[in-house]
Amino acid sequence: MPELVLETNGRTWTLDPSRPYTLGRDPQGDIVFDDARVSWRHATVSFDGRSWVVEDHGSTNGTFLRGQRIQRTEIGPGTALHLGNATDGPRLDLAGAAVGRPQQAPYAAAPAGWAQQAAPQQAPAQQAPAQQPGRQEAQQAPQQPQSAQHAPQQAAFPQQAGPGAPAHGDRSPTTFHQFALGRVMRIGRALENELVVSDLQVSRYHAEFHSTPDGRFEIRDLGSHNGTYVNGHPVPKGGSVQLGPADIVGVGHSTFRIVGDRLEEFVDTGEVSFSARHLTVTVDGGKQILKDVSFGVPEKSLIAVIGPSGSGKSTLLKALTGYRPANQGEVLYDNRNLYKQFAELRQRIGLVPQDDILHKELTVKKALKYAAKLRFPADTTAQERDARIEEVLRELKLDVHKDKKVTSLSGGQRKRVSVALELLTKPSLIFLDEPTSGLDPGMDRDVMQLLRGLADDGRTVLVVTHSVAELALCDKLLVMAPGGAVAYFGPPEEALNFFGYDSWADVFSAFENYRDYDWAGRWKGSQHYQMYAADFDAVAPQQAAYMPPPVAIKPPKPQAWGSQLLTLIRRYVSVIVSDKGFLALTVILPAVLGSVSLLMNHDRGLLVNPAVDPRTGLHVPNGTATTVLLILSVGACFAGAANSVRELIKERVIYERERATGLSRSAYLMSKVVVLGAVTVLQGLMVGMIGFSPRKIPDQGVILGSSTLFELCLPIMALGFTSMMVGLVISSLVKTAEKTMPLLVMFAIIQVVFTGCLFTLHGTLGVNEFSYLMPSRWAVAAAGTTLDLNNIAPNGDDPGSTDPLWNHTAGAWGLDMIALLALGAVCGFFVARFLRRHEPEVMRK
């Protein structure tokens, strides 16, 4: 293997072909340049098995050969490169060995493990927008005779022609595995597997490759937790799929393809390309809120998205992450359609919303522990999860704060914890929505420097922000104009000059003052557009036309339903126990509501058969019984609904993010029902015991015999539970927490009216039927059945008027309780349906 001599600025290096060499301003790099025009990690020089090559890594100012900006090209003696500027940028002169033969398909001759050392090579179709000359060369290539050495690559990767379209560009495999006919090759985390994958997203025994004697191959899922994917679609759990020559198998952060009798493995270590092409979002009425947005994101870079209010920044973020797919266009993750393959790729994308995505009542470490428990497979051990948590805490310098409650941290530290939560699964792409909102300038700088560090460590970071103070830390800047169109994309240091203003305040004022101006047209007519975005606009979306329809299989969940439910219950109980104020209110509220009923006159209000008027010899209606039932039922309604009316709205952002990572909707809802139901039922028992126990009640009930007190408490407890379910319905409907209180008050007042204690409901056409929808109607009826209200407090002026729901029979009591609980079940159904509106839209289709 030939050596290469590199000379720059009076210094000489002899390059060893067995390793790559990084060029840039990074002091940790191999060849360091102290020049502002050179990017932090600018380029790599390496020997690919046939020749020496230089590869630009999406640098801001480019790498130039003979005055032309290049992305990746062969080099040899006599070659002169310039970094940052085609004429006076730092110059590299090469000498020594001769250039090898024409380059083969990169994967054909690269030694195993090469991609673990060198930065992956990038396909011409995925070049950063800045490399326009290189793009032109790529477009001309099909017109030239195809050389024989490219045939293997074309066979393995048809040009954008279906599920086997290039998934890794022209990158070299991380490693190779030889197949033998009839052999089984098992993949998993456990050391006993033939293919050991050190990835916590992978199960211990995940899947198997099968090679049959007739030369066919198949992949068989072994009941994995995060799933096995073929071309982005999940393999049925425990099932198998036949593999074709162009199929891509996804397991965690690794993908595999079969070339001949060899299995090639590609590990996603973060060096991925990402691009948006012709994204357009249309809302009801045909209004476009995002208009034909195209741009490409270089790997391992930091991109900022800025723009005035109403410019579509949040809409763009949802389109890029798959939360709300664009109506037109496509998002490509390493040349793979994100919308079509969301089930697999969602695990490789981190999203930090503007609001915190963790429970502030928990300590930092405990919050991350529950998140890791939900996101990692069920067969990961506590030691494995703890080790990953400690690793992330150290990386973000949060280890000194791990035992503090999240609510006690500063705004910048809380944002770091949200980022830490996303880093648990080692995403290659991280999106952040307004991470510096509400922070002072110092914290703003700290957060942006954190993001810069994440990008330098091998991730691609895109941040939507209103802050313009630290844009210089970014590699690229995307400026959105009013109406959702692109006004600029390129290096941040060139942006103000492009707009012709001295400050961003002037630019934003111009956007506001000239809203009808064609900012997108000005951008597309500029030289900057030709340099940084023209090639992405020129490529029409093709993936959608060739992708097969999605397989009708739900994406697998990291944890079994029962395991998720148990984790969610434990987390919710921890949150409640940590909130001392809520615990105090949980005890005080039912005690006060139950005690109010004791103000009734005991002498005239015994809850038994009425006394006889000595003057007339007639029974005196017992008005106290209905009044006591009214007070207790309304108290139970209010307490139950108040417990839950804010629960879903305050956790909406957390639910949205966890749902995208595999959380079960039914497990989440059931955890709320179990914990809040237990709290509410105990409160109902307390209300009933306080309200009924000091009074004289019938000696015998209709169901429990002598246990009349508990029989009277059961309807109050069930009413509290059903009211709690109504509170969940309200919480799933409203858009802000402030809207819950008026609806809570309205619900309580309506329950007062339709209890049947204020006026006669039975026999009132329409009103009586409507009252059947009210939980308080059935709860009062069940308690009234035990007390025999038809006898001691008959409805209306006619003493003979009776309500069949109050009949002193076991059948009437059972009907009342079944109807009451059925209302709660119906509410649960509606809550589950309403929760779907707060999930990534791509998961609902």
Side-chain angles (χ1 to χ4, degrees), residues 356 358-368 398-415 417-418 573-583:
D356 293 327
L358 35 79
H359 294 85
K360 299 179 182 179
E361 298 85 358
L362 301 178
T363 64
V364 171
K365 187 170 184 178
K366 184 172 286 189
L368 295 180
L398 286 170
D399 45 340
V400 296
H401 303 294
K402 63 182 178 182
D403 295 321
K404 296 180 182 177
K405 285 189 176 182
V406 175
T407 188
S408 67
L409 301 178
S410 66
Q413 290 168 342
R414 284 202 304 271
K415 193 57 63 178
V417 178
S418 295
V573 170
S574 298
V575 170
I576 291 178
V577 171
S578 300
D579 190 346
K580 307 303 181 184
F582 180 82
L583 285 178

Side-chain angles (χ1 to χ4, degrees), residues 447-490:
V447 171
M448 292 301 292
Q449 287 178 341
L450 164 68
L451 303 184
R452 176 71 265 171
L454 293 178
D456 292 338
D457 286 339
R459 305 174 184 91
T460 298
V461 183
L462 187 145
V463 54
V464 174
T465 181
H466 277 116
S467 174
V468 297
E470 304 297 334
L471 294 181
L473 292 173
C474 302
D475 297 299
K476 291 290 189 295
L477 175 65
L478 176 66
V479 182
M480 301 295 293
V486 176
Y488 173 82
F489 178 74

Side-chain angles (χ1 to χ4, degrees), residues 233-236 548-555 845:
H233 302 306
V235 177
V551 181
I553 301 176
K554 291 183 179 180
K845 293 186 177 181

Side-chain angles (χ1 to χ4, degrees), residues 557-679:
K557 300 176 176 59
Q559 300 275 335
W561 188 89
S563 178
Q564 283 195 2
L565 175 62
L566 183 60
T567 300
L568 290 167
I569 289 176
R570 291 176 58 192
R571 182 177 71 176
Y572 194 24
V573 170
S574 298
V575 170
I576 291 178
V577 171
S578 300
D579 190 346
K580 307 303 181 184
F582 180 82
L583 285 178
L585 188 62
T586 299
V587 177
I588 294 173
L589 182 62
V592 172
L593 295 174
S595 300
V596 169
S597 68
L598 299 180
L599 300 177
M600 298 301 302
N601 190 325
H602 287 213
D603 295 336
R604 298 183 57 194
L606 302 178
L607 305 184
V608 292
N609 290 335
V612 176
D613 189 330
R615 295 173 298 175
T616 61
L618 300 176
H619 286 286
V620 179
N622 190 339
T624 301
T626 55
T627 305
V628 168
L629 287 182
L630 174 64
I631 294 173
L632 297 181
S633 61
V634 172
C637 282
F638 185 82
N643 285 340
S644 61
V645 76
R646 289 178 178 264
E647 284 306 307
L648 299 183
I649 182 64
K650 76 179 184 182
E651 290 187 1
R652 182 159 297 172
V653 176
I654 299 175
Y655 172 73
E656 288 177 353
R657 183 64 194 124
E658 291 184 340
R659 179 66 176 142
T661 59
L663 179 69
S664 166
R665 182 194 316 127
S666 58
Y668 175 78
L669 176 57
M670 187 57 66
S671 70
K672 297 294 182 185
V673 172
V674 170
V675 177
L676 289 176
V679 171

Side-chain angles (χ1 to χ4, degrees), residues 134-357:
R135 180 64 196 171
Q136 292 172 347
E137 293 171 8
Q139 292 172 342
Q140 294 169 1
Q143 301 172 5
Q144 302 171 358
Q146 186 179 19
S147 58
Q149 58 262 30
H150 287 88
Q153 186 175 7
Q154 294 294 334
F157 288 139
Q159 286 291 331
Q160 303 276 355
H168 310 94
D170 61 355
R171 297 184 181 162
S172 298
T174 304
T175 187
F176 307 93
H177 308 278
Q178 202 67 31
F179 251 136
L181 292 180
R183 182 183 176 188
V184 175
M185 190 174 291
R186 189 171 55 188
I187 309 171
R189 237 173 46 247
L191 297 178
E192 304 88 70
N193 295 286
E194 288 77 13
L195 288 176
V196 179
V197 180
S198 299
D199 182 356
L200 290 183
Q201 295 288 87
V202 177
S203 299
R204 292 181 58 80
Y205 304 99
H206 196 102
E208 289 179 342
F209 280 103
H210 286 255
S211 171
T212 59
D214 58 1
R216 293 181 301 169
F217 298 93
E218 69 175 16
I219 183 68
R220 180 175 300 167
D221 183 83
L222 298 179
S224 62
H225 299 281
N226 277 321
T228 305
Y229 299 84
V230 175
N231 303 321
H233 302 306
V235 177
K237 199 165 188 175
S240 61
V241 171
Q242 289 267 343
L243 298 177
D247 288 335
I248 302 295
V249 177
V251 175
H253 285 82
S254 298
T255 51
F256 302 85
R257 70 180 180 193
I258 297 174
V259 179
D261 61 349
R262 184 173 62 189
L263 182 67
E264 298 183 343
E265 178 181 2
F266 299 80
V267 179
D268 185 347
T269 57
E271 294 108 343
V272 297
S273 61
F274 185 77
S275 62
R277 295 180 179 174
H278 305 284
L279 297 183
T280 299
V281 175
T282 306
V283 295
D284 296 338
K287 180 182 178 182
Q288 289 186 344
I289 57 177
L290 202 65
K291 299 179 181 178
D292 196 26
V293 175
S294 298
F295 64 94
V297 176
E299 61 188 38
K300 296 190 294 185
S301 59
L302 175 60
I303 295 88
V305 180
I306 65 172
S309 298
S311 59
K313 298 188 300 297
S314 296
T315 302
L316 174 63
L317 187 65
K318 291 179 180 179
L320 294 177
T321 56
Y323 271 51
R324 200 290 188 196
N327 302 100
Q328 301 175 28
E330 61 189 2
V331 176
L332 300 182
Y333 176 103
D334 227 18
N335 216 35
R336 302 173 67 183
N337 191 304
L338 175 64
Y339 298 159
K340 297 294 185 181
Q341 304 187 29
F342 183 80
E344 176 186 355
L345 298 180
R346 63 178 179 169
Q347 302 291 349
R348 307 189 192 183
I349 296 176
L351 174 62
V352 181
Q354 183 173 349
D355 297 325
D356 293 327
I357 51 176

